[in-house]
Amino acid sequence: MAANVGSDKMDLNLTPLLDVVMQLIMFFMMCVNFVADQVSANVLLPTSLSAQEIMPKTDVDVLVINVEIKREVRMNPNGTQARTPDGRVIRDVVPDDQGRKQYKVIFSGYDESKWFTEDNEAVGLDYAQRKLAALAKDYRKKESLRTGKPSDQVELRTVVIIRADVEARYGLVVQMIAQCTKEGFPKVEIRAFAAQ
């Protein structure tokens, strides 16, 4: 009795493997769609205080820019400051005569900005853009003196930190970031903090 071993063929059934791969692909495609729905352009920014100088831990300069909304402290009927349950002072928005929010862009170490509203936002942005251009020029001169390179060939090393009020228009903050990038600042950060 001799067995004919060479005539039998063994075929692998790949159908279960393909089913598993297809289910994994569908699972990851659905996850990507759900994550895309969670992304929102409505970023909640904290209420702001006046820009304060931050002492750098390295030799890199830091420029702090505040985008503020005009606010005043809410007072209780007994004359004390109103506070949240966690002890923070409550500051209410102070609108202009026509009920519009008033904005101000403040650069750390400089107190020359003016209040503007959404209707004349171009005035505030123009001020901020001119100020950023002047500061970029100053930082390049400073870096040029340090390195000995011509100022037009010097790359900025200054970090820009933008702090914006929780009710500030998101578009205003985005335009500030775009202007910082245009002027050549290598790193722009948005910092969150709690108002006290």
Side-chain angles (χ1 to χ4, degrees):
M1 288 186 39
N4 190 0
V5 178
S7 64
D8 292 335
K9 289 186 179 179
M10 293 203 52
D11 291 330
L12 289 176
N13 187 5
L14 297 179
T15 304
L17 179 64
L18 292 174
D19 286 343
V20 169
V21 170
M22 196 60 145
Q23 286 179 0
L24 284 173
I25 290 172
M26 286 189 297
F27 173 77
F28 287 121
M29 287 175 63
M30 288 179 62
C31 287
V32 168
N33 288 337
F34 290 135
V35 170
D37 292 340
Q38 293 175 0
V39 176
S40 174
N42 298 328
V43 176
L44 297 176
L45 299 171
T47 55
S48 63
L49 298 171
S50 295
Q52 299 172 359
E53 202 70 49
I54 295 177
M55 299 307 292
K57 295 178 183 172
T58 64
D59 60 345
V60 176
D61 291 322
V62 176
L63 173 63
V64 179
I65 304 171
N66 270 14
V67 179
E68 293 189 1
I69 291 181
K70 193 170 192 177
R71 294 178 177 272
E72 66 182 20
V73 175
R74 183 188 300 173
M75 300 301 286
N76 291 323
N78 63 2
T80 61
Q81 295 178 343
R83 296 187 177 269
T84 61
D86 62 350
R88 292 187 295 155
V89 174
I90 299 173
R91 292 179 170 84
D92 294 324
V93 175
V94 179
D96 69 352
D97 297 338
Q98 298 171 347
R100 299 170 300 193
K101 291 179 188 170
Q102 300 177 71
Y103 295 89
K104 188 184 236 185
V105 178
I106 301 173
F107 291 82
S108 61
Y110 304 92
D111 190 28
E112 55 194 52
S113 60
K114 297 178 184 172
W115 292 104
F116 60 92
T117 63
E118 289 180 2
D119 293 347
N120 63 354
E121 189 175 276
V123 172
L125 277 174
D126 182 57
Y127 160 75
Q129 290 169 343
R130 285 186 286 113
K131 190 68 173 176
L132 276 169
L135 288 172
K137 186 176 180 182
D138 290 345
Y139 285 125
R140 280 192 176 91
K141 279 184 187 176
K142 182 179 174 182
E143 191 66 18
S144 174
L145 292 173
R146 192 183 71 77
T147 61
K149 293 181 181 178
S151 59
D152 59 342
Q153 296 177 0
V154 171
E155 290 186 20
L156 292 175
R157 299 179 335 141
T158 305
V159 175
V160 177
I161 299 172
I162 297 177
R163 302 188 311 175
D165 193 287
V166 68
E167 295 185 36
R169 221 174 52 72
Y170 184 65
L172 181 62
V173 176
V174 169
Q175 288 177 334
M176 292 294 300
I177 294 169
Q179 186 65 33
C180 291
T181 304
K182 179 183 175 190
E183 295 300 335
F185 290 101
K187 187 173 183 183
V188 181
E189 299 177 2
I190 298 178
R191 293 272 174 97
F193 64 94
Q196 298 292 329

